[in-house]
Amino acid sequence: MSIRLGYDLTIEQAQKLVMTPELIQAIQILQFNTQELDSYVQEQLLVNPVLESSTSEQTDNRHDDGNAGEFSEEHRDQKDSITSKDDEFDWKEYIKDRQYDDISYGHWEDKNGEEKENTYEQYVSSDVTLPEHLMFQLQFASSKKGCRKVGKYIIESLDENGYMTCTVSEIAEATGAPEEKVREVLDMIHTFDPMGVGAADLRECLIIQLRQLGQLTDTFEEIVNCHLEDLANNRLGVIARDMGISPKDVQRMSDIIRTLEPKPGRQFASQMDTKYIVPDVIVERVDDDYVVTINDNSTPHLMVSSYYQKLLHEADKDDKLSKYLSDRVNSALWLIKSIEQRKQTIYNVVTAVVKYQKEFFDKGSKYLKTLTLKDIAEEVGIHESTVSRSINGKYLQCPRGVFEIKYFFSAGVSGVSGEGISSNSIKEFIKEIVDNEDQSSPYSDQDMVELLREKGINISRRTVAKYRDELHILSSSKRRRY
């Protein structure tokens, strides 16, 4: 038997997906959330001179056939007629009749003689940060220049929660003041609002607050300094036994300590930028049905510049210019088409979700059903990966609040009647059980298993413990009250 080695030239037919740059761009646009899409569009506006952002009025004047920016002959005739009318119109007389004035050179006067009060809505408020709030108090607390210098350094060295990040010796070395002076200024800052600011750790923060409230006793101080971990784990019996007091007294002091603020600085504005959620989809109830609307404010409106369209028609003699403009126009049209396709895909997916989760919108989160990407993909007629990209980072606003669209996709268990019960619904049932329990004898995880079984939900004790931890609910031993 011999093996023949050689080269053969054969023809075969095969199918494969070619990821063109346009297809990659369309996939990226579908996956972008509102902020990412806006940043991408702003970048494209800088790169592609043919693109321009259109106003809502300009958007309404575009053709529905997808050729953005191309106006019909009828529209051009109307525009020319309007322009000719504007030329014949006496704008000076119109402005005079409308009682407008040239604000560049004259003061505004109320032509009607009516006094209008300034409303608070005309002013923009700014949030006060923790350093600004403390510096304002420092100005009135001491008039000594040295104290203000040390106080300013201490305030500027606090973290966002109001805790010290430097030691007394480090502050004294940096400011050139003696350590006694630093401690004196630090004690003064401890009396500032918010209570507990300027503490070195949590124990000192709580003691400062108890002192300002007039609640600080030797017993309180011993609990904070020696039994803070036992207090956090609700081991009140251990504290009572070690200190020789009754569990009820420990419970009373524990309730007072739990009302204190462990992070005094978090009630003030952060120096970091605040990020807001812009819902991509709005769901409104109309009679007994729900209407899905895409938030137009979250979708940029683009069009092809009419100037470059005109230039493209006039560039027949210049092949390089004609090719460049054709490429730019095609790229712009594809971007506009991709954004519109993204909008339609999100609408189709959310419409299917709302139809499937109608009981949630009617009755609340306890009626959330199990839902997978495959269910919506089969309903809409698209691939699961497309559904995943269309809901990634997107938010939905409805009468029950603002939710991430992923919230409506969750696994769960089957109920008695066979319908799927979402894990989020089970968490709501667990939360309801804990809220209504007897605090002196709270339910254990096994007790919750039995109570859920009565509601037709069959899950294990381990699953209950998992959901309870995700809800940040303590175990029964830590929830018990005396």
Side-chain angles (χ1 to χ4, degrees):
M1 179 179 179
S2 61
I3 300 176
R4 184 176 67 86
L5 300 177
Y7 296 97
D8 290 330
L9 184 62
T10 60
I11 299 176
E12 63 178 9
Q13 190 176 23
Q15 288 183 340
K16 64 178 181 178
L17 178 64
V18 179
M19 295 292 287
T20 62
E22 291 81 5
L23 183 58
I24 295 174
Q25 183 191 53
I27 294 174
Q28 287 178 340
I29 289 175
L30 178 61
Q31 192 169 358
F32 285 156
N33 58 30
T34 302
Q35 289 80 9
E36 292 171 342
L37 179 62
D38 184 64
S39 300
Y40 182 78
V41 168
Q42 295 301 324
E43 179 183 343
Q44 292 299 312
L45 287 171
L46 294 175
V47 173
N48 193 345
V50 175
L51 268 178
E52 65 179 20
S53 179
S54 64
T55 61
S56 58
E57 183 177 346
Q58 289 173 319
T59 305
D60 294 337
N61 291 331
R62 293 183 304 173
H63 274 301
D64 295 334
D65 57 2
N67 296 327
E70 294 184 7
F71 296 96
S72 63
E73 293 297 330
E74 180 182 357
H75 178 80
R76 289 190 180 124
D77 295 339
Q78 292 177 355
K79 186 176 179 182
D80 294 338
S81 63
I82 293 173
T83 305
S84 61
K85 290 180 180 179
D86 289 345
D87 295 337
E88 300 173 358
F89 195 78
D90 191 349
W91 286 102
K92 291 184 178 180
E93 192 66 27
Y94 176 76
I95 293 174
K96 184 177 180 180
D97 292 340
R98 296 291 294 176
Q99 299 183 354
Y100 289 111
D101 200 354
D102 186 359
I103 60 174
S104 302
Y105 300 97
H107 295 286
W108 178 84
E109 296 179 2
D110 189 358
K111 301 294 183 179
N112 297 324
E114 298 178 357
E115 295 183 0
K116 297 181 180 179
E117 297 181 358
N118 293 332
T119 60
Y120 289 109
E121 288 78 5
Q122 296 175 351
Y123 301 94
V124 179
S125 63
S126 60
D127 295 332
V128 179
T129 61
L130 178 63
E132 293 173 349
H133 184 64
L134 296 176
M135 287 299 297
F136 178 77
Q137 298 175 73
L138 181 64
Q139 296 177 3
F140 300 97
S142 176
S143 59
K144 296 181 181 179
K145 186 176 180 181
C147 291
R148 288 191 177 182
K149 179 181 177 182
V150 175
K152 182 179 179 182
Y153 189 91
I154 293 174
I155 291 172
E156 291 176 347
S157 66
L158 299 178
D159 63 12
E160 60 181 6
N161 293 322
Y163 284 93
M164 290 285 295
T165 58
C166 301
T167 62
V168 173
S169 58
E170 290 173 346
I171 297 172
E173 183 180 355
T175 58
E179 293 188 8
E180 292 78 9
K181 175 63 69 176
V182 175
R183 291 193 182 91
E184 179 185 343
V185 177
L186 189 57
D187 290 339
M188 178 180 64
I189 293 176
H190 287 167
T191 63
F192 286 1
D193 178 75
M195 293 188 296
V197 70
D201 53 25
L202 177 60
R203 287 179 172 83
E204 186 180 6
C205 178
L206 297 177
I207 290 174
I208 291 171
Q209 294 182 61
L210 289 170
R211 183 183 296 115
Q212 287 192 254
L213 293 172
Q215 298 272 4
L216 185 62
T217 61
D218 294 339
T219 307
F220 265 115
E221 192 167 357
E222 184 179 352
I223 290 178
V224 172
N225 287 326
C226 304
H227 298 282
L228 198 59
E229 186 175 350
D230 292 331
L231 199 66
N233 293 312
N234 205 39
R235 294 195 287 261
L236 305 185
V238 176
I239 300 174
R241 187 167 53 252
D242 291 347
M243 297 184 61
I245 57 179
S246 66
K248 287 188 176 181
D249 290 338
V250 179
Q251 182 74 72
R252 178 183 58 82
M253 289 185 284
S254 173
D255 292 341
I256 294 174
I257 293 174
R258 290 179 186 277
T259 61
L260 304 179
E261 176 56 71
K263 298 179 180 180
R266 65 180 173 183
Q267 59 183 296
F268 289 88
S270 174
Q271 295 180 346
M272 300 175 63
D273 293 335
T274 303
K275 297 182 179 179
Y276 298 93
I277 292 176
V278 179
D280 298 82
V281 185
I282 299 174
V283 178
E284 297 176 310
R285 179 163 186 166
V286 179
D287 297 331
D288 293 332
D289 201 2
Y290 292 93
V291 178
V292 177
T293 307
I294 299 295
N295 186 6
D296 289 334
N297 294 329
S298 66
T299 307
H301 299 284
L302 300 175
M303 64 181 296
V304 177
S305 174
S306 57
Y307 169 77
Y308 284 99
Q309 290 184 59
K310 181 181 178 181
L311 189 63
L312 177 62
H313 293 304
E314 297 175 355
D316 295 336
K317 298 180 181 179
D318 193 337
D319 294 337
K320 291 184 178 180
L321 179 60
S322 178
K323 184 178 183 303
Y324 172 78
L325 291 177
S326 297
D327 293 341
R328 295 295 88 192
V329 169
N330 291 333
S331 176
L333 291 174
W334 180 264
L335 176 61
I336 295 170
K337 182 180 179 181
S338 299
I339 293 176
E340 291 298 322
Q341 183 65 36
R342 169 188 181 271
K343 182 177 178 181
Q344 186 62 42
T345 303
I346 294 174
Y347 173 81
N348 293 337
V349 169
V350 174
T351 301
V353 170
V354 171
K355 178 182 177 182
Y356 195 88
Q357 301 286 9
K358 190 174 184 298
E359 280 193 84
F360 164 83
F361 296 99
D362 289 337
K363 303 177 183 179
S365 54
K366 288 192 294 185
Y367 295 88
L368 196 66
K369 297 180 181 178
T370 57
L371 183 63
T372 62
L373 298 175
K374 184 179 180 181
D375 296 332
I376 299 299
E378 292 177 352
E379 176 74 20
V380 180
I382 56 179
H383 196 268
E384 292 180 38
S385 61
T386 305
V387 177
S388 176
R389 291 188 180 97
S390 63
I391 66 175
N392 180 49
K394 316 295 192 307
Y395 287 84
L396 177 150
Q397 178 181 317
C398 65
R400 296 196 174 274
V402 178
F403 300 88
E404 190 175 8
I405 302 179
K406 285 183 179 180
Y407 173 80
F408 300 96
F409 293 81
S410 62
V413 298
S414 298
V416 177
S417 57
E419 78 282 359
I421 301 176
S422 169
S423 59
N424 292 323
S425 301
I426 300 174
K427 291 178 185 178
E428 288 295 326
F429 283 114
I430 292 174
K431 186 175 182 299
E432 182 180 329
I433 291 172
V434 173
D435 291 341
N436 297 325
E437 69 183 359
D438 182 6
Q439 295 181 344
S440 62
S441 179
Y443 293 115
S444 65
D445 293 342
Q446 187 60 42
D447 294 335
M448 293 187 191
V449 170
E450 300 298 331
L451 292 172
L452 290 172
R453 186 172 292 133
E454 294 177 2
K455 297 178 181 293
I457 303 172
N458 296 318
I459 58 175
S460 64
R461 185 195 60 79
R462 183 179 298 177
T463 306
V464 170
K466 173 187 173 183
Y467 290 163
R468 179 176 52 75
D469 290 338
E470 291 177 358
L471 290 170
H472 304 291
I473 296 176
L474 301 175
S475 61
S476 58
S477 61
K478 295 180 181 179
R479 299 199 310 272
R480 182 187 175 191
R481 293 181 58 84
Y482 291 90

